[in-house]
Structures are given as structure tokens and as C-alpha cells.
Amino acid sequence: MSGVADGGAYDVTESGTDVTETGTEGGPGERSGAPAGALGVAELELKPALEAVLMVVDEPATEEHLARVLERPRRAVALALRELSDDYARQGRGFDLRLVAGGWRFYSRAAYADAVESFVLDGQQARLTQAALETLAVVAYRQPVSRSRVSAVRGVNCDGVMRTLLQRGLVEEAGTEPETGAILYRTTNYFLERMGLRGLDELPELAPFLPEADAVEGDSPEGIPSFDVDDSGDSQTDH
């Protein structure tokens, strides 16, 4: 680095790249070629910078990624994100900032879901079918799981429904089953995002939704709703 004592122009060399700065008119920190008054990313006010970035993300952004992009310590970014989230909740804004699927993203506040649905869907319903929801639930609670095991739980072939879930990005392939070579499936981060969950450990317990034992007719285990699958059923269903 070379410079002059009277505050004139000086050259800064970083990693082999010459960057010329002026210490006379533009002030320190202003790079050559940048608009007058422009600041470096690290000099921007943190909270507005976070808001600007999060407005354009198409999936939850992790604290590590945001810290790297904004050239700030992760701890400072994490604190600012939580303060922003608290501010929006306290002000009753129509949106909130949530930590979902390991990252942060803006969401419409639940209280205004009807207004958003009216605007986006315009009265149209674009929801998963009952069969798709049931299949997705089996994958969520039994993952990683093969299509044959999902079909065994539901009692019907699920190939078509699984293709729909794959196309919508709610499930993905997760290797193969060592014993049979069948493809295994698991839910995606997009599934967590759509469900508003931080992780799979936030899935609700199944027990409260299962019937009492004396309410189930018959003594056969096949008559009891369960996510336990008899391995003998695998050979009768396509993987």
C-alpha cells in the first residue's frame, strides 16, 4: 500500500488487484467507479440490509449465508434477525420474519391468510388431494421409506401420488434400501418450509390421532391404523 500524507490519491493493492481510492472529495472508504456516497456492504446499516436481501430470496436464507454476503459476524446477524422478527410481531405487521427449515424468510402473517389466499388463488383451490396428503404423512413419519412400504401402509398403490409429490418438490430420493435395492424417499426442506417447521422433530405426535384400542373392530393387526409395516407386503408392490 502506498499513499501521500496530505490526503491525496493513493493506490491500494489487495490480492493482486489494484483498487484506487480518493481521500479528498469522496471521503475514506469510497471506491473508484462507485456512485457518489456509495458504501461498501460491510458499512451498510445491518437491519435494512437484511430486509433488502430477504425481500428477494426464494428460499430460507441461513445465518451463515447472510453473514457472508453482508460481511458481518454471524452472531451480529443472528441477533439482528431476531430483533427484526420481534419488532414485526410487536407492531402487528401483515408479515413476519420466521426461522424455518434452517433459514430465515419473510412470510405473510397467519391472521391475514384469507386476504392472501383471495389474492393469489382468486377463489381457486390448489391443494393436495387427500391421497397425496396421506402419502406425504407416511413419508414424513417413516422416512426414509420406499414406495412399497408407503403403499403397504395406505393399502393402495402410491406410485402416481409419489410422482406428484416429487414434482412438487415435497419429497426427494434418499438412496436405496440395502436389503431390496428399492429407492428410499424423504421429505425436503421445501416441505418443512410449507409446513412452517424448523425440523422434523416438530412434527406432531401421532398418538392423539389414533383411536383407542377398544374402538377398533377386530383383533387382527391389519385393522389397527399404524405406521408399522409388515415387511412381507413389500414383494407384492412395485418399488
Side-chain angles (χ1 to χ4, degrees):
M1 177 183 296
S2 62
V4 291
D6 60 2
Y10 58 91
D11 293 331
V12 179
T13 302
E14 276 186 291
S15 303
T17 302
D18 290 334
V19 181
T20 303
E21 301 193 3
T22 58
T24 53
E25 297 180 1
E30 184 172 325
R31 297 181 179 181
S32 176
L39 297 175
V41 172
E43 298 172 302
L44 295 171
E45 190 175 345
L46 181 54
K47 288 183 180 179
L50 285 168
E51 290 175 323
V53 172
L54 291 170
M55 285 292 292
V56 299
V57 299
D58 54 9
E59 61 183 15
T62 65
E63 293 171 359
E64 293 90 340
H65 189 189
L66 292 170
R68 183 170 65 253
V69 168
L70 298 179
E71 302 176 12
R72 305 295 179 87
R74 177 185 172 181
R75 180 175 298 181
V77 168
L79 178 61
L81 288 166
R82 283 163 176 78
E83 289 179 349
L84 283 171
S85 180
D86 291 342
D87 289 344
Y88 300 146
R90 185 172 55 255
Q91 296 166 10
R93 305 296 290 270
F95 59 90
D96 59 5
L97 181 58
R98 282 187 264 160
L99 177 61
V100 174
W104 291 85
R105 187 177 182 182
F106 283 121
Y107 291 85
S108 297
R109 198 168 296 281
Y112 302 99
D114 290 344
V116 175
E117 183 175 4
S118 178
F119 176 78
V120 175
L121 300 180
D122 193 21
Q124 306 280 327
Q125 296 298 321
R127 298 176 179 173
L128 292 175
T129 64
Q130 183 66 29
L133 288 172
E134 291 175 2
T135 301
L136 184 58
V138 176
V139 176
Y141 283 95
R142 288 300 305 270
Q143 62 185 304
V145 62
S146 66
R147 279 188 293 179
S148 65
R149 291 180 181 272
V150 175
S151 297
V153 171
R154 294 198 58 233
V156 295
N157 187 288
C158 297
D159 290 357
V161 177
M162 287 293 290
R163 282 194 294 270
T164 297
L165 296 176
L166 283 165
Q167 290 170 355
R168 294 200 179 190
L170 294 168
V171 301
E172 63 185 0
E173 294 184 3
T176 58
E177 195 171 45
E179 297 83 1
T180 66
I183 297 174
L184 297 174
Y185 297 90
R186 65 188 175 198
T187 54
T188 62
N189 278 339
Y190 180 63
F191 164 79
L192 294 176
E193 180 184 345
R194 297 295 296 175
M195 293 293 292
L197 303 174
R198 291 185 177 88
L200 294 174
D201 56 340
E202 291 191 353
L203 284 170
E205 295 291 334
L206 284 176
F209 302 98
L210 297 178
E212 297 294 337
D214 56 5
V216 179
E217 295 182 2
D219 296 326
S220 171
E222 295 180 359
I224 302 175
S226 172
F227 282 99
D228 293 330
V229 182
D230 185 352
D231 291 342
S232 63
D234 287 357
S235 59
Q236 300 177 4
T237 311
D238 291 337
H239 298 296

